[in-house]
Amino acid sequence: MFTYIGKKVKKIIIINDIAVFEPDKNRLISLKDYPERSITLHTPVSACLLLLLQHSHQPVTQKYLFNEVWEKNGVIVSTNAIYQSIALIRKSLRAVGLDEEIIITLPRIGFKAEADVKYFTFDEFTTAYSVQKVNASPVTIMSATVVGDNRSLTDYLHQYRRLPMIGVIIILLLTFYWSQQTKSFYTHYADIGNIHGYQVYSSWSGKEKSISMFNQFYIRHNLACPPGKAVYMTLNNTQSGTSILVCRDNIDSPQAKCKSLFFMEKYND
């Protein structure tokens, strides 16, 4: 057993009998390939995945993720950081063989993991799945690696503490203001118009930039639009990426079902 995000968890987590998650090593591995092929996760991404799995089949709010992963380590980040982490989690799960969508976006609430989760010590795991014990470290597949390192969460996040104090104060004020609002977070988004059958809303008021980003995203993912689809784009210059929320209905609708994606213009991915 080891301590992680203030809780005691076992070292091996099996997801849907397909993937192996080792939170203490921040890595995902296909069960059938264990331990030869692995995907290394950023420490905050690994922490988000662990929290979602620990609360499998239960809603996990954005506020809870903010607090447990970032704020307890003295870091203030934007909503975009969560959406980027969720997009990287989904990409990594697909890479180790989990084709079904197990991380569900809950509009105006947060996220939920719909997965069969089993916890093991390493000895229990090797016995239950007849895995041979090996001393060598697993090989990380660099072409499939989702930006990873082996630093501790505190070491990794320390760089963010160099943010200018005035920027921290502004972010805190905006976060407080947002928490006091009864309307949707996306109420202030600009209506860019109907593009390729999607009603597009953007955090930027300038249409030209928003239309350009959406067209790149549309072509890259070869989207086909069922009736009533809405897209909410959060453009972020500092992270060179755009978080994109694709909803079946307007996000304020009780019937809205959304999927979050993160588009990095630099890598066209």
Side-chain angles (χ1 to χ4, degrees), residues 117-187:
V117 179
K118 301 174 183 176
Y119 298 88
F120 297 92
T121 63
F122 185 72
D123 287 339
E124 291 170 345
F125 169 62
T126 55
T127 300
Y129 290 89
S130 301
V131 174
Q132 182 180 0
K133 294 184 180 180
V134 294
N135 294 322
S137 299
V139 176
T140 300
I141 311 304
M142 296 306 295
S143 61
T145 298
V146 181
V147 190
D149 58 43
N150 293 319
R151 292 175 289 171
S152 69
L153 183 59
T154 301
D155 291 339
Y156 171 75
L157 294 172
H158 184 267
Q159 58 183 306
Y160 291 100
R161 291 181 178 146
R162 294 191 290 267
L163 285 171
M165 183 59 66
I166 188 171
V168 174
I169 293 173
I170 291 173
I171 292 173
L172 286 171
L173 289 173
L174 289 175
T175 302
F176 175 79
Y177 175 79
W178 174 47
S179 68
Q180 301 303 310
Q181 304 307 301
T182 56
K183 294 183 179 180
S184 167
F185 175 79
Y186 299 93
T187 300

Side-chain angles (χ1 to χ4, degrees), residues 17-250:
D17 281 325
I18 294 176
V20 180
F21 177 41
E22 297 178 309
D24 61 329
K25 297 179 181 178
N26 297 333
R27 68 182 185 182
L28 276 167
I29 312 168
S30 171
L31 179 59
K32 66 179 181 180
D33 295 325
Y34 188 91
E36 298 302 324
R37 301 167 64 88
S38 69
I39 292 180
T40 304
L41 304 173
H42 257 321
T43 307
V45 176
S46 179
C48 286
L49 176 57
L50 177 60
L51 289 172
L52 289 168
L53 294 177
Q54 286 177 330
H55 298 84
S56 186
H57 307 294
Q58 302 174 35
V60 177
T61 65
Q62 289 188 14
K63 182 177 180 181
Y64 181 73
L65 290 175
F66 272 130
N67 183 62
E68 294 295 319
V69 178
W70 287 280
E71 290 182 2
K72 282 189 176 180
N73 292 279
V75 178
I76 303 297
V77 296
S78 68
T79 306
N80 203 52
I82 285 188
Y83 284 116
Q84 183 181 11
S85 296
I86 295 299
L88 292 174
I89 287 172
R90 287 172 171 150
K91 183 175 182 179
S92 302
L93 291 173
R94 288 194 297 269
V96 295
L98 281 163
D99 295 327
E100 65 268 37
E101 195 71 66
I102 69 168
I103 306 299
I104 309 300
T105 300
L106 304 175
R108 294 179 290 171
I109 299 175
F111 306 92
K112 179 172 64 172
E114 289 289 354
D116 177 26
V117 179
K118 301 174 183 176
Y119 298 88
F120 297 92
T121 63
F122 185 72
D123 287 339
E124 291 170 345
F125 169 62
T126 55
T127 300
Y129 290 89
S130 301
V131 174
Q132 182 180 0
K133 294 184 180 180
V134 294
N135 294 322
S137 299
V139 176
T140 300
I141 311 304
M142 296 306 295
S143 61
T145 298
V146 181
V147 190
D149 58 43
N150 293 319
R151 292 175 289 171
S152 69
L153 183 59
T154 301
D155 291 339
Y156 171 75
L157 294 172
H158 184 267
Q159 58 183 306
Y160 291 100
R161 291 181 178 146
R162 294 191 290 267
L163 285 171
M165 183 59 66
I166 188 171
V168 174
I169 293 173
I170 291 173
I171 292 173
L172 286 171
L173 289 173
L174 289 175
T175 302
F176 175 79
Y177 175 79
W178 174 47
S179 68
Q180 301 303 310
Q181 304 307 301
T182 56
K183 294 183 179 180
S184 167
F185 175 79
Y186 299 93
T187 300
H188 69 283
Y189 276 38
D191 186 346
I192 304 303
N194 192 289
I195 307 174
H196 304 301
Y198 288 83
Q199 190 63 35
V200 180
Y201 301 89
S202 175
S203 62
W204 280 34
S205 57
K207 282 192 174 185
E208 184 176 348
K209 173 69 173 178
S210 297
I211 291 173
S212 173
M213 289 300 300
F214 179 74
N215 282 333
Q216 291 181 57
F217 171 78
Y218 180 84
I219 293 171
R220 175 67 179 83
H221 289 273
N222 192 27
L223 296 180
C225 178
K229 283 267 189 173
V231 171
Y232 299 84
M233 300 195 307
T234 304
L235 279 64
N236 189 321
N237 275 341
T238 61
Q239 296 183 13
S240 301
T242 303
S243 67
I244 299 174
L245 204 61
V246 182
C247 301
R248 189 176 64 183
D249 297 289
N250 186 287

